[in-house]
């Protein structure tokens, strides 16, 4: 094993401290740290924490996701100070946030577009994990906890989207809650229970607000578990091989704090362009019409980040079948660590799986495109094929490729990635 | 919790005997542990239920459950949408053609087989909940210009379910016919839904 779990005395960690002002020189800091090792925690787990030295920018998306979560919570709390969760007043309260509340438009546009960016960042984070095999032993639980976070995010975003009580809010809520009615026998009582009535109505809106406020804090808790699991075996890296010695690592601070800050800067620019120049580009104009339980809009579409799953739902011409396929799509992510039989993590050394990976990315994008189109004619045929490919990729190709693919020779270590003469044919586990 | 299952109170003079002699006691301890555990589960469940049940429809929601409708103004071929328990109810004054078409259908062709006669109290008045049995959208077909689908009834814009002139599912993902709400004719042209 490598050294990254060594305690405070890690010479590299103290090296990076040497010459700088040591917080421990202050009496008060020492007094507190003796009782509550906060500074010790920061030194050990943030500043001196040894990371593989070859992490690329795809490794920035984890910290971006964390920051976006905080942005969502902050902007959400300020929205909640003006928002009214009542069917008579919800729509107008959001309009009043937009027009009357000082800076309300900014806070709402940050929250609206922040949700989209949150998903963008997390999807990239997930694809990163697939490409570099970060879900493989010993990081299976880390991966599974991540998929749980994705599910919680979907729930949170769905609940939040209902709050402004526009046409899409109402009909999105109707369609999604009705998914539960596909469950045999207990389906209808469950939907009635979810609604607190005989359809989406005031009780529904009120409880959705309560849950929308709650779930982000649950996400924080689960994200802590995610980090705990991460720290147990450390970060994976673009080569997908284990850290072998100190020479393979660099301390998190300043190397990755700087790198992540740069990524944050780029991210903030994208965020600002969305919020200030195209705040409604990712939204649906129909949601600026107040909810009307008697008229379904001609075209119901979920937010873009749910479209691939929606396309899978609609590709199956049966109610229960569609719901199962949609759930199955996420279930594939849960079992991915066991579907992939290859012992090599990184696609850099997996010529066939790498191609399949990119085909899979295109397939997901295609599903997203088709999810926004009416389910008829070529669109329907296309979404059936794309949905079938999604499952074929996971259930057939992923296990099969791991079995017959010959990986390229792996480097001996992160420090010696380009010395083919010393390269080993297979990594030892 | 665990302490409760220990039969002997702690104290220097009463160190429990160890070894084989202790065996019979074990099954008694196991029983106590299990019984305590079972009671805990029952107790927790008894307290969880009121919280879960609080999310079911409240009395005031249940109280809003009847709607009266005067059918007299509806001319032949016209349709009316009323609200019952927050959901739309479709009422159609069917033409003789529509009635014959609905009655002539071979039940074997239907996904959710039901005769036309079983779905109406008086053949000219079709009364149904206007909520698609797929995922709950309101199908089109009430207004004169609406698409009515291939079977001349209703067409759901969400995922393309098609219903016939008796509101039976004929095509698309919906599993069941449009639901018939409970209703009674109070006079010849006045119905009470619910
Ligand atoms: C995981 C984090 C979160 C996500 C993904 C999220 C997502 C969303 C989305 C998609 C909307 C609809 C925006 C619109 O179209 O108008 C929304 C609205 C709302 N959210 Fe959040 N949210 C999160 C956290 C929070 C938190 C912590 C609060 C705090 C109480 C909050 C309060 C609100 C309120 C009051 C609204 C209604 C106002 C509006 O529609 O702009 N959100 N949320
Ligand atoms: S809700 Fe009507 S077809 Fe899906």
């Amino acid at each position: 094993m490598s050294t990254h779990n060594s305690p405070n005395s890690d010479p590299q960690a103290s090296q990076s401290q040497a010459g700088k002002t040591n917080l421990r020189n202050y009496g008060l800091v020492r007094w507190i740290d003796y009782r509550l090792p906060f500074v010790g925690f920061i030194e050990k787990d943030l500043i001196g924490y040894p990371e593989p030295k070859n992490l690329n920018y795809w490794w920035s998306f984890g910290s971006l996701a964390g920051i976006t979560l905080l942005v969502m919570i902050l902007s959400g709390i300020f929205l909640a100070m003006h928002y009214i969760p009542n069917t008579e007043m919800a729509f107008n309260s959001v309009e009043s946030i937009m027009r009357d509340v000082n800076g309300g438009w900014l806070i709402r546009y940050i929250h609206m577009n922040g949700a989209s960016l949150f998903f963008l960042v997390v999807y990239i984070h997930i694809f990163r994990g697939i490409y570099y095999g970060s879900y493989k032993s010993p990081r299976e639980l880390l991966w599974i906890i991540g998929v749980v976070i994705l599910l919680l995010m979907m729930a949170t975003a769905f609940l939040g989207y209902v709050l402004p009580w526009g046409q899409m809010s109402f009909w999105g809520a109707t369609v999604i809650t009705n998914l539960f009615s596909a469950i045999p026998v207990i389906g209808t009582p469950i939907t009635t229970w979810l609604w607190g009535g005989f359809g989406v109505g005031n009780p529904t809106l009120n409880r959705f607000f309560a849950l929308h406020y709650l779930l982000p804090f649950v996400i924080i808790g689960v994200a802590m578990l995610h980090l705990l699991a991460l720290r147990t075996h450390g970060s994976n890296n673009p080569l997908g091989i284990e850290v072998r010695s100190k020479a393979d690592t660099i301390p998190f601070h300043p190397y990755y704090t700087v790198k992540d800050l740069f990524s944050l800067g780029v991210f903030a620019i994208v965020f600002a362009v969305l919020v200030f120049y195209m705040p409604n580009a990712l939204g649906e104009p129909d949601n600026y019409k107040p909810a009307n339980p008697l008229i379904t809009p001609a075209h119901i579409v979920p937010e873009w980040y749910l479209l691939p799953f929606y396309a899978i739902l609609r590709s199956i011409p049966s109610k229960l079948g569609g719901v199962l396929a949609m759930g199955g799509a996420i279930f594939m992510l849960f079992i991915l660590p066991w579907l992939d039989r290859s012992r090599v993590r990184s696609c850099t050394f997996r010529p066939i799986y790498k191609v399949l990976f990119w085909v899979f990315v295109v397939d997901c994008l295609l599903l997203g495109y088709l999810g926004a189109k009416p389910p008829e004619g070529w669109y329907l045929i296309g979404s059936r094929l794309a949905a079938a490919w999604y499952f074929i990729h996971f259930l057939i190709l992923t296990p099969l490729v791991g079995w017959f693919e010959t990986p390229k020779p792996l480097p001996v270590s992160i420090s010696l990635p380009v010395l083919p003469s010393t390269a080993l044919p297979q990594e030892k586990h | 919790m665990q302490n409760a299952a220990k039969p002997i109170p702690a104290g220097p003079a009463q160190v429990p005997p160890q070894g084989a002699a202790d065996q019979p006691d074990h099954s008694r301890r196991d029983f106590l542990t299990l019984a305590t555990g079972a009671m805990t589960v029952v107790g927790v469940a008894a307290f969880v239920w009121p919280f879960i049940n609080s999310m079911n429809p409240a009395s005031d929601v249940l109280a809003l459950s009847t709607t009266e409708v005067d059918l007299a103004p509806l001319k032949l071929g016209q349709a009316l949408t009323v609200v019952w328990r927050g959901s739309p109810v479709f009422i159609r004054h069917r033409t003789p053609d529509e009635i014959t078409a609905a009655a002539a259908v071979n039940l074997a062709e239907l996904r959710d087989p039901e005769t036309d006669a079983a779905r109406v109290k008086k053949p000219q008045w079709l009364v149904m909940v206007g909520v698609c049995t797929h995922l709950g959208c309101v199908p089109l077909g009430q207004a004169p210009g609406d698409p009515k689908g291939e079977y001349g009834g209703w067409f759901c814009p969400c995922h393309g379910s098609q219903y016939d002139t008796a509101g039976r599912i004929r095509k698309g993902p919906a599993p069941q016919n449009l639901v018939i709400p409970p209703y009674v004719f109070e006079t010849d042209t006045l119905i009470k839904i619910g």
Side-chain angles (χ1 to χ4, degrees), chain A residues 120-416:
Chain A
L120 181 69
V121 163
V122 167
Y123 281 146
I124 293 177
H125 188 65
I126 293 175
F127 279 118
R128 185 283 317 258
I130 297 180
Y131 187 90
Y132 293 111
S134 301
Y135 49 82
K136 287 186 197 183
S137 172
R139 298 187 183 81
E140 299 95 325
L141 280 180
L142 171 63
W143 173 260
I144 287 180
I145 293 170
V147 184
V148 170
I149 294 179
L150 176 67
L151 280 177
L152 286 169
M153 281 172 63
M154 289 176 165
T156 309
F158 159 69
L159 296 167
Y161 195 61
V162 177
L163 303 184
W165 208 242
Q167 271 290 66
M168 279 300 163
S169 301
F170 183 89
W171 291 102
T174 299
V175 166
I176 302 292
T177 48
N178 264 302
L179 292 178
F180 291 90
S181 71
I183 305 169
V185 189
I186 52 166
T188 311
I190 286 184
T191 38
T192 310
W193 174 74
L194 284 174
W195 292 329
F198 301 101
V200 174
N202 197 51
T204 326
L205 178 60
N206 222 309
R207 65 190 54 180
F208 277 18
F209 181 51
L211 295 173
H212 183 68
Y213 210 134
L214 168 71
L215 284 192
F217 295 92
V218 177
I219 295 182
I220 289 200
V222 181
M224 293 289 186
L225 291 179
H226 195 67
L227 286 182
L228 186 63
L230 173 68
R231 291 295 143 118
T232 309
H233 288 281
S235 300
N236 184 29
N237 63 79
L239 293 172
I241 59 179
E242 296 289 341
V243 167
R244 294 204 188 283
S245 71
K246 197 144 290 172
D248 291 347
T249 68
I250 44 176
F252 188 80
H253 180 74
Y255 297 101
Y256 289 116
T257 36
V258 164
K259 194 162 182 158
D260 284 355
L261 271 176
F262 177 73
S263 310
L264 178 61
V266 175
F267 178 71
I269 292 172
V270 175
F271 207 148
V273 168
L274 274 176
V275 166
F276 293 109
Y277 291 93
M278 41 199 302
N280 288 304
L282 299 169
E284 269 299 313
D286 262 354
N287 220 27
Y288 284 102
K289 289 187 200 157
N292 179 349
L294 299 186
I295 296 172
T296 307
H299 211 72
I300 297 192
V301 274
E303 293 275 86
W304 70 266
Y305 39 80
L306 300 177
L307 285 173
F309 299 102
Y310 195 58
I312 293 179
L313 168 80
R314 293 191 310 181
S315 67
I316 312 275
S318 128
K319 179 165 162 178
L320 184 59
V323 174
L324 288 178
M326 192 169 70
I330 293 185
F331 183 66
M332 293 298 111
L333 290 177
F334 275 110
I335 59 173
L336 177 59
W338 293 276
L339 291 175
D340 186 347
R341 312 301 304 161
S342 171
R343 306 182 91 206
V344 176
R345 293 199 188 103
S346 172
C347 269
T348 312
F349 305 105
R350 302 190 58 191
I352 304 179
Y353 191 65
K354 185 188 206 160
V355 174
L356 283 180
F357 169 84
W358 287 111
V359 175
F360 177 68
V361 172
V362 172
D363 188 55
C364 291
L365 294 175
L366 190 66
L367 278 169
Y369 167 78
L370 292 165
K373 297 288 168 193
E376 47 197 39
W378 281 105
Y379 294 134
L380 185 58
I381 297 171
S383 49
R384 289 200 175 143
L385 292 175
W389 183 265
Y390 184 99
F391 288 100
I392 291 172
H393 173 86
F394 280 112
L395 291 176
I396 301 176
L397 298 175
T398 299
L400 215 59
V401 168
W403 178 61
F404 74 75
E405 176 186 58
T406 316
K408 294 190 195 153
L410 292 175
V412 187
S413 76
I414 295 173
S415 306
L416 304 164

Side-chain angles (χ1 to χ4, degrees), chain B residues 132 134-137 156 158-161 173:
Chain B
C132 182
H134 182 224
L135 297 176
C137 294
C156 183
C158 289
H159 318 97
S161 288

Side-chain angles (χ1 to χ4, degrees), chain A residues 69 72-73 76-77 79-80 83 94 97 108 111-112 115 118-119 153 156-157 160-161 163-164 209 212-213 216-217 219 287 303 305:
Chain A
L69 176 61
M72 293 308 290
I73 290 181
I77 288 175
L79 284 175
Y83 172 77
V94 172
I97 289 173
R108 173 157 186 255
H111 200 74
M112 257 170 81
F118 196 14
F119 275 92
M153 281 172 63
T156 309
Y161 195 61
L163 303 184
F209 181 51
H212 183 68
Y213 210 134
F217 295 92
I219 295 182
N287 220 27
E303 293 275 86
Y305 39 80

